[in-house]
Amino acid sequence: MLTSITAIVFQPKQEEVLSSCTSLSMTVEQRLSDQIDAGVLCPFTRLTSRMDALALSTDAGHRLLARYRRTQNSKDLDQSIKHFERALALCPMHHSYHPAALFNLAIAKLVSCQVNGAYLDLDIPISLFQDALDLRPTDHPDRIITQLHLAIALSSRFAKRGFQTDADAAKELLSCVLDVCHANSHIYRAALIAIQTSAAHSTGSIDANDRGQERPATSMLPLSLNQLANRAKRCLQVDEPRDLDEVISLHYDALGYYNTGHAYRGQLLTNLAIILQTRFRRQGNDKDMDQAIALQMEMLALCPVGHPDRSKSLNNLAIQLSTRFEHRGNVDDLDQSIALHKEALALHPVGHIDRSTSLMNLANQLSTRFDHRGNYEDLDQAIALHREALALRPVGHPNRSSSLNSLATQLSIRFEHRGNGEDLDQAIALQKEALALRPVGHTDRFGALNNLAIQLTFRSEHRGNGEDLDQAIALQREALDSRPMGHRDRSGALNNLANALSVRFDHRSKDEDLDQAIAFYRETLALHLAGHTDRHKSLNNLANRLSTRFYHRGNDKDLNEAIALHREALALCPVGHIDRSSSLNGLATQLSTRFERRRNDEDLDQAIALHREALALCPVDHTDRSISLSNLAKSLSIRFEHRGNDEDSEQAIALHREVLALRPVGHKDRSGALNNLAIQLSYRFERQGNDEDLDQSIALHREALALHPLGHTGRSMSLNNLANQLSSRFDHRDNDEDLDQTIALYREALALCPVGDTDRSTPLNNLAAQLSIRFRRRDDHEDLDQAIAFQREALALRPVGHKDRFGALNGLAIHLGLRFKHQGHDGDLDHAIALHREALALCPVGHTNRPSSLHNLATQLCIRFEHQRNREDFDQSRENLRCALTLLTQHDPRRLPAYGTLAEVYLTFYRSGLDGACAGEDTDSLNAAMYHLKAAANVVSGGLLSRLRESIRWVHHASLYSHGTELEAYATSMQLLDAYMSVTASVSSRHNFMKDFLSTLAVDAASCALRSGDVCRAVELLEQGRTVIWTQMARLRTPLDSLQTRGSHAAALMKKFRDLSSLLDKPPANNPETTPRVDVEAEETQYRRLVEQWNRAVEEIREIEGFSRFLLPPLFSDLQDAARDGPIIMLIVSKSSCHAIIILHKQLPTSIQLPTNLWKLSKLVVAFREAVGKEAGPKGNQTALTKALRELWDVVVSPVVENLDGFVRRGSRIWWCPTSVFNFLPLHAAGEYRPKGKSVSQQYISSYTPSLNALIKARQSHDRSPSVSFVAIGQDCPAGASFTLDAVEPELELVRRLLPPPPTVSFSKITSVDATKSRALCALRDNTWFHLACHGTQEFDEPFKSAFRMRDEPLSLLDITQMDLSQHEFAFLSACETAVGTLSTPDEVIHLAAALQFAGVNSVVGTLWKVTDSTVQHLVEAFYKNMHGDGPMNSKRAAWALHRAVQSLACDKDITMTLDQRIVFVHIGI
């Protein structure tokens, strides 16, 4: 039979203006006549009137039954039964046609039973079939068909009643049919299907719930394809679930009939797939969608490569997969859909009539994938395909307007993501052409109006052109006018116009637009009555706009109605509904809003539960998963802020991290994910004070800003976000670079919000705050004046009722208070307090900003109390702060400033004397102040720098008022200083911090301990607070060999500690001055992360027996071991006192108060500097230097020597450990310098040590080789030098001659062009003794750049610190200024000689100032003659050798050497 293929094209709804037309190919068989069922009566020939009536009744019954099959009109079925009953009445029992009449009536009755569900009446057709069968003997031609139908009826009754006898009888009848019929016959195949169905009933594989929809028995003999197609078309046009189910059932019957290989099977597969897809869209049953795809796959298999229908089959399957992707979000479906569309396109080469359609279909799917993954390559390819499709549809082509629309839509999308105005302009031009092709009266004009309106709305949002937006609304109004009351598309027009009005409201805040939009949404909803498929969408739209009006006007009625509408919408989206997830999110969002309004915990908990359910509906790879993750994270964040449950915060961050992972680099929504995670991390930082959170937040904001280049609509927000976090980091770490960058970012953000911009108040407010902070730091009044001006403008833009008025009030109040402190205008202070009171009124009990507002008001009241002495101000200030503290959780960082301000309040009251006592006598207030300063310093979440600042304040006030907590304050400050320095990545940063902030902390702490009489504690504090930078480095090189024997866990800890120490000990990879800030920040963040891991490893090691004090500040009992080989004299000077502490090995330390002070010693340092530079007089005398050395003897050294006389024998070694300005005095050379006058060098051999720990470490024994590896390094002409050091080569040769020959000493030499930095480093590494002769430079501003100058580049102090010289014994530094530190950080002892000792060299000889060639020649010769002696080389002889050399030169009448040159060399170490 010939058939023709008809394509049924499903067009999108007209209001779905952004969807392109999708072609679904549905094949139907067009037949010229209906098939006549077997076993029916044929038309009769005319016999008698009785026979005529029988024939007429029978024919009428069949016609009506056939028509019923086509139309499903129950009246036809009822009439058919009546005609068959009349025919049977006309055939008495023995009539020849009686069996046929019974059979016909049985067929109609069976159909009626199943159609009407009257399964109890099945007995009637079964009885009729049985009677007919009894009357048809074995050889009767119709006996087989009668057996078949009786079996079918019995099987149906068995399915409903479960009588096994029915099943057995049916099986027996069907077996008889199969035995008689040919295998290819129609009846044989029908019997097979009946057997399969009966077997399913017998095994229970048909669900009980499906038995009420038993397939009609007559479907075993399927309707014609034409009949099936007609019924399918009706079901697609009318939403009648029961009809749709039956049509699907009939198609399944037909498929079972037309087995694989039948010519009609492919048409049935395609048609059934389309009908199943329709039922899925209407009822949301995933099984229908999966089955439809399975059928389309089978159809594709029937169309192999080369088949004429393969392209259509590819297209149909691709569309079904795309639909499933939209429902489930499985990217594999989308990728497969695209691959199928590409194959279909390949089958439509250039010139093919269907190429443009294939281009459009593929472009649409690539666009969908772009929406999901954000890969711009997909979007660009989609646009290219749409352009090609448009070119194939020139002017005059019937589908040109559709192509214009599709291309315009994609260009508009690309504009949204890249911000290229050219794309948007082109999109609008295309939409205008499309509209011109659809003049008034055109059926598709409505869609064209909508599309153009949408593009104009985009452009208005991008360029702020109100004309575009007004034109868009005008177009939407025209679209609405074309859809009058009663028109089926009116609801879509109302919805679109409401959307446009909503956009205009968002931009102009015109209440009329919002109210009108809501009215249109209400009318739309009224058109979508209960049962309408789009009702839930209308409910959501109206709810969203009511929510907007609530935000705008604060009417709770709007919010409650919005929630009620969302609840109704959710009820219309039961479990399994495609839109349930979005509906859950909508309701949850509004409940969160109401929580923020009313603080009803039930609302928030319910919102979170709804968001969790929504997320569960979006499994991994679902296209909407990232949105659901983000929504849930935001709600959890709100609950964390409300209840302070860390679990909520951690979960929110984890969810945001998953969102970011789903939006990789290149994803269109990555910037939003970066921003959300950054904000959440910043919240956690504010609560917990974890530096890594802040650094990571800044890094994420930087990446987000990079994704918003100049011209991007989101740039202003990104600028503000990054600036906010940089501001926080400045508050936390005090880095001026962060502050300046913050201000620059806010200025750029402000420039992007000109006057009239609705967002202008935000950058105004932020910029004002930062300018105010910079004013406090740099005292530039222009900053303060500008801050106040900006803040006033911001406040004016936030009138009463504005949601952000609090911030503007608070900011202006702070700036005015600051101006009062500097200019003293009472009006500023009173105004500031009034503003703070108004701000506090906006923060009722329970508001998150209430603690901060109370604190701010208290601060200004305290200032006014100090100024005006009004007791009421004091009381109110104190109570506000107490209240703020009760509102803050234990781990809230805001407790720190609150404690600090409360301490200031008590101190102010203490100074006022208002309690009746004299000023300064109210001990209760003073004690309270100290208590709160201590509490501030101990707020762990407040950040190390802020805590350190508060501890220094504690030190200052405790010292000022001689409070009993002074020593505790110093100890706390020491601990915090150590912790803060440990997380500072570079040594230069550590040095700058010590230089600017805490250069005298250690000596001040020791002086405090001495005043209290605790000499041992003074020594401990000195050791803890001095040489902090060296101590930090030394910790990372601590040997842990003894852990090896403590088990596997200890050994693993040792390895972990060493590995982390190694990573931390590496120099920074980037130079901060030349490296992008973002890279420097990343490196600093990594460093802090490693420090945290290192600290944890240290804590674990301390848990091992015998290691409880591992790397803790040493106790005096440990430090005393430094005096094992001789006494150590620690010299301490502070503003309050000047002392010497003599430390002996087995005795208590002795403290001596010296007859001098800091001011006199500072003058003495200047005197030495000036004296050293002066030429000697005619007799070789250096009068000024001699005078200075005498004073040094009198006020410092002589009192010490007098105390040593009693227990240290003459000629013994002593070690000087100077602090503060003592570091710049030649203590070893002090004396009376007169005939028979005393001097320290006459009585003792002096050495120096930077710290006690350094000396202890140097004394730790290590194996000495009997043979010394000695290298002499000389550089006579370093890079950049203007002259040559002629004495270098002779000096090295002199050293070689004076050293013992091999094997005692293995000597090597590097000079001239060979003495490069790299060669020198290698030589230092490979030799344990070395002599350096070269230029030496001491950089006082940046001491770590001090260096020995080599041929190519300097060998810097920092280079030396990176070396492991722990096996090295001796170094002679024949260069200028190698043992002098910097005045800015004297207690850090940063010079070349100290660097070598801290790197591991036991004994070092260096210089205090410039040294001449002549001095070097004589002293080197004398030193090495005394050094080696008769035995093996021993570095412990170095101090004695230097002492003897200097004495011999002083006594040698043949050598002329000035005093400053005789005392220039010093010994450091053992």
Side-chain angles (χ1 to χ4, degrees):
M1 181 178 292
L2 294 176
T3 63
S4 61
I5 305 301
T6 304
I8 302 174
V9 180
F10 291 82
Q11 298 284 0
K13 296 179 181 179
Q14 289 183 326
E15 60 266 25
E16 296 173 352
V17 294
L18 296 182
S19 300
S20 62
C21 296
T22 305
S23 298
L24 289 174
S25 169
M26 182 179 194
T27 59
V28 295
E29 183 181 16
Q30 306 293 334
R31 294 174 178 262
L32 299 177
S33 61
D34 291 337
Q35 186 182 27
I36 303 299
D37 288 337
V40 300
L41 293 176
C42 296
F44 298 109
T45 56
R46 187 175 182 83
L47 297 174
T48 64
S49 59
R50 186 180 184 88
M51 290 298 291
D52 288 343
L54 175 60
L56 289 172
S57 294
T58 301
D59 288 345
H62 281 297
R63 282 196 302 272
L64 288 164
L65 183 58
R67 190 164 70 183
Y68 166 73
R69 288 172 177 167
R70 291 193 301 271
T71 65
Q72 297 295 295
N73 188 329
S74 60
K75 292 181 179 180
D76 288 338
L77 180 57
D78 293 340
Q79 290 296 320
S80 173
I81 291 172
K82 289 180 179 180
H83 282 290
F84 284 136
E85 287 176 338
R86 184 181 177 191
L88 180 59
L90 294 172
C91 296
M93 181 65 67
H94 301 293
H95 196 287
S96 59
Y97 296 133
H98 187 74
L102 288 167
F103 183 86
N104 290 335
L105 179 56
I107 288 286
K109 284 283 189 179
L110 179 59
V111 172
S112 177
C113 287
Q114 295 181 327
V115 167
N116 297 318
Y119 294 101
L120 293 176
D121 295 336
L122 279 171
D123 296 345
I124 297 173
I126 289 173
S127 176
L128 293 169
F129 280 131
Q130 186 65 60
D131 290 344
L133 182 62
D134 291 343
L135 295 173
R136 289 175 169 169
T138 303
D139 56 350
H140 194 284
D142 295 327
R143 180 174 176 81
I144 298 171
I145 195 66
T146 307
Q147 288 176 316
L148 173 63
H149 280 80
L150 175 56
I152 291 169
L154 288 166
S155 180
S156 295
R157 190 167 68 182
F158 166 70
K160 292 303 169 184
R161 302 185 192 175
F163 297 143
Q164 188 60 41
T165 53
D166 283 342
D168 295 340
K171 183 177 180 181
E172 183 179 351
L173 288 166
L174 291 170
S175 297
C176 293
V177 173
L178 293 176
D179 290 342
V180 175
C181 294
H182 189 275
N184 289 328
S185 70
H186 176 82
I187 296 175
Y188 186 91
R189 291 197 298 271
L192 283 177
I193 294 172
I195 289 173
Q196 293 168 1
T197 303
S198 180
H201 288 152
S202 298
T203 59
S205 61
I206 295 180
D207 194 287
N209 293 327
D210 294 335
R211 288 178 179 171
Q213 294 183 355
E214 190 70 30
R215 297 175 186 171
T218 52
S219 68
M220 299 304 175
L221 301 175
L223 297 177
S224 69
L225 295 186
N226 188 39
Q227 291 173 315
L228 288 171
N230 287 334
R231 293 191 62 177
K233 287 180 181 178
R234 284 196 299 274
C235 289
L236 298 179
Q237 294 166 358
V238 180
D239 188 2
E240 289 291 344
R242 185 170 177 179
D243 288 350
L244 187 60
D245 292 343
E246 185 174 353
V247 168
I248 290 172
S249 179
L250 291 170
H251 274 78
Y252 273 117
D253 288 343
L255 272 182
Y257 182 75
Y258 297 113
N259 55 10
T260 302
H262 196 282
Y264 298 154
R265 186 171 180 83
Q267 298 169 10
L268 284 167
L269 287 167
T270 302
N271 290 348
L272 179 53
I274 292 171
I275 302 168
L276 285 167
Q277 186 68 18
T278 300
R279 187 165 72 179
F280 162 72
R281 284 199 303 270
R282 292 177 182 175
Q283 300 177 17
N285 189 333
D286 283 359
K287 292 181 180 178
D288 284 339
M289 180 166 56
D290 293 336
Q291 186 61 30
I293 290 172
L295 293 167
Q296 292 286 15
M297 287 183 173
E298 183 182 346
M299 177 59 196
L300 182 60
L302 297 177
C303 299
V305 176
H307 193 284
D309 292 331
R310 182 167 178 80
S311 64
K312 292 179 182 178
S313 190
L314 287 164
N315 185 60
N316 288 339
L317 176 55
I319 290 168
Q320 301 284 10
L321 288 166
S322 172
T323 300
R324 187 164 70 181
F325 163 74
E326 291 172 11
H327 182 61
R328 296 182 188 166
N330 187 333
V331 292
D332 289 340
D333 283 339
L334 181 58
D335 291 338
Q336 193 176 355
S337 173
I338 290 171
L340 292 166
H341 277 307
K342 285 184 177 181
E343 184 181 347
L345 179 60
L347 295 175
H348 295 157
V350 175
H352 193 286
I353 189 172
D354 293 326
R355 182 169 177 80
S356 64
T357 300
S358 280
L359 288 164
M360 295 278 286
N361 287 339
L362 175 56
N364 290 337
Q365 295 312 305
L366 287 168
S367 176
T368 299
R369 189 163 70 182
F370 167 73
D371 291 338
H372 181 62
R373 296 181 183 165
N375 187 335
Y376 286 113
E377 185 178 344
D378 282 339
L379 180 59
D380 292 337
Q381 192 176 356
I383 289 172
L385 292 166
H386 278 307
R387 287 194 191 282
E388 184 182 347
L390 180 61
L392 294 175
R393 296 172 176 180
V395 175
H397 192 286
N399 292 327
R400 181 170 176 80
S401 63
S402 175
S403 273
L404 288 164
N405 173 63
S406 296
L407 176 56
T409 299
Q410 298 310 309
L411 288 167
S412 174
I413 291 171
R414 189 164 70 181
F415 159 75
E416 289 183 58
H417 292 285
R418 296 182 183 168
N420 186 338
E422 186 178 343
D423 279 341
L424 182 58
D425 292 337
Q426 192 176 0
I428 290 172
L430 292 166
Q431 293 288 13
K432 286 184 176 180
E433 183 184 348
L435 181 60
L437 293 174
R438 298 170 179 178
V440 175
H442 192 287
T443 55
D444 294 328
R445 181 170 176 81
F446 172 77
L449 288 164
N450 277 320
N451 292 339
L452 178 54
I454 289 170
Q455 306 307 328
L456 288 168
T457 301
F458 283 158
R459 190 162 70 180
S460 74
E461 292 183 34
H462 179 60
R463 299 179 185 168
N465 186 343
E467 291 182 11
D468 279 341
L469 184 55
D470 293 337
Q471 188 179 356
I473 290 173
L475 291 167
Q476 296 286 16
R477 290 193 189 279
E478 181 186 344
L480 179 60
D481 290 341
S482 70
R483 298 294 186 264
M485 297 290 291
H487 194 287
R488 63 186 179 87
D489 292 330
R490 181 170 176 81
S491 62
L494 286 163
N495 198 64
N496 290 336
L497 178 53
N499 290 341
L501 288 166
S502 296
V503 171
R504 190 162 71 180
F505 168 77
D506 291 339
H507 283 76
R508 301 180 189 172
S509 297
K510 190 176 179 182
D511 286 349
E512 183 182 349
D513 283 339
L514 180 57
D515 292 337
Q516 198 171 4
I518 290 173
F520 285 139
Y521 283 131
R522 286 195 190 281
E523 185 180 346
T524 305
L525 180 60
L527 293 174
H528 293 166
L529 301 173
H532 193 286
T533 55
D534 291 330
R535 181 169 175 81
H536 70 283
K537 295 178 182 177
S538 288
L539 287 162
N540 281 322
N541 289 339
L542 177 56
N544 290 337
R545 274 304 133 180
L546 286 168
S547 173
T548 301
R549 191 162 71 181
F550 162 75
Y551 282 120
H552 187 61
R553 300 180 193 170
N555 188 335
D556 285 351
K557 182 180 178 182
D558 282 337
L559 180 58
N560 291 334
E561 186 181 359
I563 290 172
L565 291 167
H566 276 306
R567 287 195 191 281
E568 184 183 347
L570 180 60
L572 295 176
C573 300
V575 175
H577 194 285
I578 191 171
D579 292 326
R580 182 168 178 82
S581 175
S582 61
S583 199
L584 286 163
N585 278 319
L587 175 56
T589 300
Q590 299 311 315
L591 287 168
S592 293
T593 300
R594 190 164 70 182
F595 164 77
E596 293 183 46
R597 176 83 167 181
R598 301 180 187 172
R599 297 288 165 178
N600 183 342
D601 285 356
E602 186 179 346
D603 279 341
L604 183 57
D605 291 337
Q606 190 177 358
I608 290 172
L610 292 167
H611 279 312
R612 288 194 192 281
E613 183 183 347
L615 179 60
L617 295 176
C618 300
V620 177
D621 291 334
H622 192 286
T623 183
D624 293 330
R625 181 169 177 81
S626 63
I627 297 173
S628 276
L629 286 164
S630 184
N631 288 337
L632 176 56
K634 289 173 184 175
S635 291
L636 287 167
S637 175
I638 292 171
R639 189 164 71 181
F640 166 71
E641 291 180 36
H642 179 57
R643 300 181 191 169
N645 186 339
D646 287 343
E647 186 178 344
D648 283 339
S649 176
E650 298 303 322
Q651 195 173 357
I653 289 171
L655 292 167
H656 279 309
R657 289 194 191 281
E658 185 179 348
V659 173
L660 185 60
L662 292 174
R663 297 173 180 178
V665 175
H667 193 285
K668 63 186 179 67
D669 294 324
R670 182 168 176 82
S671 63
L674 289 163
N675 184 61
N676 289 337
L677 176 56
I679 290 172
Q680 196 60 46
L681 288 168
S682 72
Y683 287 162
R684 187 167 70 179
F685 165 74
E686 290 169 11
R687 295 281 184 174
Q688 300 178 10
N690 186 334
D691 281 351
E692 186 176 346
D693 283 340
L694 180 58
D695 292 333
Q696 194 175 356
S697 175
I698 289 171
L700 293 165
H701 278 310
R702 285 197 190 281
E703 185 182 347
L705 179 61
L707 295 175
H708 294 158
L710 289 173
H712 195 286
T713 53
R715 184 168 179 81
S716 176
M717 181 189 73
S718 280
L719 288 164
N720 273 309
N721 289 338
L722 175 57
N724 290 342
Q725 298 314 307
L726 287 169
S727 173
S728 290
R729 190 166 71 183
F730 167 75
D731 293 339
H732 197 58
R733 298 184 195 158
D734 208 34
N735 186 336
D736 278 354
E737 186 177 347
D738 282 338
L739 178 60
D740 291 334
Q741 192 176 0
T742 297
I743 290 172
L745 291 165
Y746 280 139
R747 287 197 187 279
E748 183 182 348
L750 181 60
L752 294 175
C753 299
V755 175
D757 192 292
T758 54
D759 295 326
R760 181 171 172 81
S761 67
T762 298
L764 281 167
N765 193 72
N766 293 337
L767 178 56
Q770 298 309 306
L771 288 167
S772 175
I773 291 170
R774 192 165 70 180
F775 165 74
R776 292 192 199 103
R777 196 166 180 85
R778 301 178 188 171
D779 204 27
D780 184 343
H781 285 272
E782 185 180 346
D783 278 343
L784 181 58
D785 293 338
Q786 201 172 6
I788 291 173
F790 284 148
Q791 199 68 66
R792 288 191 192 280
E793 183 183 349
L795 183 59
L797 293 173
R798 296 175 176 180
V800 175
H802 193 286
K803 63 184 179 67
D804 295 324
R805 182 169 175 81
F806 166 81
L809 288 165
N810 188 58
L812 182 55
I814 290 172
H815 308 329
L816 290 171
L818 189 58
R819 190 165 70 180
F820 165 78
K821 290 180 69 175
H822 284 76
Q823 299 179 9
H825 298 310
D826 286 352
D828 280 342
L829 182 56
D830 292 338
H831 190 190
I833 290 173
L835 291 167
H836 275 312
R837 290 193 192 281
E838 183 183 347
L840 181 59
L842 296 176
C843 300
V845 175
H847 195 286
T848 54
N849 289 328
R850 186 168 178 81
S852 299
S853 192
L854 286 164
H855 182 192
N856 292 336
L857 176 56
T859 301
Q860 299 304 322
L861 287 168
C862 177
I863 293 170
R864 191 166 70 180
F865 167 71
E866 185 176 20
H867 185 61
Q868 300 178 4
R869 293 292 191 270
N870 184 337
R871 178 62 183 258
E872 185 180 346
D873 283 341
F874 165 74
D875 292 337
Q876 200 173 78
S877 176
R878 180 181 59 184
E879 291 311 308
N880 281 353
L881 287 165
R882 286 175 173 173
C883 182
L885 283 167
T886 62
L887 295 174
L888 295 171
T889 62
Q890 182 182 357
H891 302 294
D892 195 311
R894 290 176 293 176
R895 294 184 72 86
L896 186 148
Y899 279 128
T901 304
L902 189 52
E904 185 61 33
V905 170
Y906 278 110
L907 284 168
T908 303
F909 189 77
Y910 173 73
R911 293 188 292 261
S912 72
L914 283 185
D915 61 340
C918 296
E921 295 184 3
D922 178 14
T923 56
D924 288 343
S925 293
L926 183 61
N927 289 338
M930 296 304 118
Y931 168 82
H932 288 105
L933 285 170
K934 177 181 178 179
N938 287 310
V939 177
V940 176
S941 60
L944 287 171
L945 180 57
S946 297
R947 293 173 65 198
L948 180 56
R949 284 177 172 152
E950 289 301 321
S951 71
I952 296 302
R953 279 186 67 213
W954 181 16
V955 164
H956 170 74
H957 290 297
S959 175
L960 180 64
Y961 299 115
S962 301
H963 194 264
T965 60
E966 181 183 2
L967 191 56
E968 183 185 1
Y970 274 116
T972 301
S973 298
M974 294 286 208
Q975 293 171 0
L976 291 170
L977 171 64
D978 183 78
Y980 180 76
M981 293 292 277
S982 72
V983 298
T984 305
S986 68
V987 291
S988 60
S989 298
R990 294 172 187 169
H991 176 256
N992 289 334
F993 181 79
M994 295 296 296
K995 177 176 65 176
D996 298 337
F997 200 64
L998 295 164
S999 60
T1000 65
L1001 180 64
V1003 292
D1004 291 340
S1007 294
C1008 175
L1010 289 172
R1011 286 196 301 273
S1012 68
D1014 194 342
V1015 182
C1016 294
R1017 184 65 176 140
V1019 174
E1020 291 172 350
L1021 289 170
L1022 274 175
E1023 195 67 13
Q1024 182 181 351
R1026 294 178 67 254
T1027 63
V1028 175
I1029 297 173
W1030 295 121
T1031 301
Q1032 296 285 341
M1033 293 183 185
R1035 286 176 182 169
L1036 303 176
R1037 305 176 189 183
T1038 304
L1040 278 174
D1041 296 337
S1042 56
L1043 273 180
Q1044 285 281 78
T1045 60
R1046 298 301 183 95
S1048 58
H1049 176 65
L1053 272 179
M1054 182 187 73
K1055 182 179 185 306
K1056 181 180 181 181
F1057 176 82
R1058 284 178 174 172
D1059 291 345
L1060 290 168
S1061 295
S1062 176
L1063 291 171
L1064 288 168
D1065 201 24
K1066 290 180 180 178
N1070 297 310
N1071 180 357
E1073 297 176 359
T1074 59
T1075 305
R1077 182 65 185 162
V1078 64
D1079 295 333
V1080 174
E1081 289 174 358
E1083 191 170 292
E1084 290 173 349
T1085 299
Q1086 175 64 13
Y1087 186 89
R1088 270 186 287 276
R1089 188 178 294 118
L1090 289 172
V1091 168
E1092 288 180 6
Q1093 296 175 28
W1094 185 87
N1095 284 335
R1096 286 195 290 271
V1098 168
E1099 290 296 331
E1100 289 186 66
I1101 291 172
R1102 287 175 185 161
E1103 293 175 3
I1104 298 173
E1105 185 178 357
F1107 287 81
S1108 61
R1109 291 200 58 80
F1110 178 65
L1111 294 185
L1112 287 174
L1115 301 174
F1116 179 78
S1117 57
D1118 300 319
L1119 295 170
Q1120 201 169 15
D1121 193 53
R1124 186 173 57 192
D1125 294 338
I1128 299 169
I1129 302 97
M1130 300 188 83
L1131 298 172
I1132 308 160
V1133 61
S1134 68
K1135 290 181 179 179
S1136 61
S1137 63
C1138 184
H1139 288 80
I1141 299 176
I1142 299 175
I1143 302 173
L1144 302 171
H1145 188 220
K1146 296 295 184 180
Q1147 300 176 35
L1148 291 175
T1150 301
S1151 172
I1152 307 168
Q1153 184 155 354
L1154 300 176
T1156 187
N1157 57 41
L1158 179 60
W1159 181 76
K1160 291 178 181 179
L1161 289 171
S1162 298
K1163 284 186 64 178
L1164 187 57
V1165 169
V1166 174
F1168 269 109
R1169 284 192 172 184
E1170 293 174 350
V1172 168
K1174 290 182 179 179
E1175 293 185 4
K1179 295 182 180 181
N1181 296 330
Q1182 289 180 297
T1183 305
L1185 180 58
T1186 302
K1187 180 181 178 181
L1189 287 169
R1190 285 173 181 165
E1191 182 179 353
L1192 181 60
W1193 169 262
D1194 291 339
V1195 299
V1196 178
V1197 177
S1198 176
V1200 172
V1201 170
E1202 289 176 3
N1203 275 273
L1204 290 174
D1205 277 347
F1207 41 81
V1208 181
R1209 63 181 178 79
R1210 188 182 180 90
S1212 297
R1213 294 190 61 187
I1214 63 173
W1215 277 265
W1216 299 97
C1217 185
T1219 72
S1220 186
V1221 295
F1222 282 119
N1223 281 285
F1224 307 101
L1225 297 173
L1227 300 163
H1228 66 286
E1232 294 178 333
Y1233 287 93
R1234 58 177 56 95
K1236 297 184 181 180
K1238 296 178 181 180
S1239 68
V1240 66
S1241 62
Q1242 290 176 356
Q1243 294 178 261
Y1244 303 112
I1245 299 172
S1246 291
S1247 291
Y1248 291 84
T1249 182
S1251 69
L1252 303 184
N1253 260 322
L1255 197 57
I1256 292 171
K1257 181 182 175 185
R1259 287 208 175 106
Q1260 290 172 351
S1261 62
H1262 51 74
D1263 296 335
R1264 290 192 178 94
S1265 171
S1267 174
V1268 169
S1269 59
F1270 193 112
V1271 64
I1273 303 171
Q1275 182 48 258
D1276 57 355
C1277 188
S1282 58
F1283 58 91
T1284 302
L1285 296 175
D1286 295 328
V1288 168
E1289 286 286 351
E1291 179 182 340
L1292 299 190
E1293 184 59 26
L1294 177 63
V1295 171
R1296 185 191 66 77
R1297 285 191 290 105
L1298 293 172
L1299 290 172
T1304 303
V1305 174
S1306 174
F1307 180 84
S1308 60
K1309 182 174 69 172
I1310 302 174
T1311 62
S1312 190
V1313 295
D1314 293 331
T1316 61
K1317 174 182 175 179
S1318 60
R1319 289 286 301 277
L1321 285 170
C1322 289
L1324 292 179
R1325 185 187 64 232
D1326 297 338
N1327 294 273
T1328 58
W1329 290 58
F1330 53 90
H1331 182 105
L1332 270 166
C1334 59
H1335 271 301
T1337 59
Q1338 175 70 13
E1339 300 290 339
F1340 293 102
D1341 291 334
E1342 297 182 81
F1344 282 95
K1345 291 185 178 180
S1346 301
F1348 301 108
R1349 297 176 64 184
M1350 296 290 109
R1351 177 54 66 98
D1352 53 349
E1353 56 181 316
L1355 173 60
S1356 73
L1357 186 153
L1358 193 59
D1359 294 326
I1360 293 171
T1361 64
Q1362 301 304 318
M1363 300 181 68
D1364 179 11
L1365 304 179
S1366 58
Q1367 301 300 314
H1368 289 52
E1369 297 188 46
F1370 176 73
F1372 193 108
L1373 309 181
S1374 178
C1376 301
E1377 300 178 328
T1378 57
V1380 58
T1382 63
L1383 284 168
S1384 59
T1385 53
D1387 285 321
E1388 289 307 297
V1389 197
I1390 307 173
H1391 52 68
L1392 290 163
L1396 284 167
Q1397 188 179 25
F1398 276 103
V1401 182
N1402 295 339
S1403 184
V1404 182
V1405 173
T1407 56
L1408 292 177
W1409 44 75
K1410 290 184 178 179
V1411 60
T1412 66
D1413 290 346
S1414 173
T1415 299
V1416 169
Q1417 179 185 355
H1418 293 305
L1419 192 131
V1420 165
E1421 183 175 4
F1423 174 82
Y1424 281 105
K1425 281 182 179 178
N1426 287 287
M1427 183 67 187
H1428 64 78
D1430 299 329
M1433 298 284 282
N1434 188 344
S1435 60
K1436 286 188 175 183
R1437 292 174 60 90
W1440 179 82
L1442 179 61
H1443 183 78
R1444 290 293 303 272
V1446 171
Q1447 283 188 329
S1448 65
L1449 292 174
C1451 297
D1452 194 332
K1453 303 296 184 180
D1454 296 331
I1455 298 174
T1456 302
M1457 186 180 293
T1458 58
L1459 178 59
D1460 67 331
Q1461 292 297 295
R1462 287 206 309 270
I1463 65 175
V1464 65
F1465 280 95
V1466 294
H1467 175 259
I1468 301 170
I1470 63 173

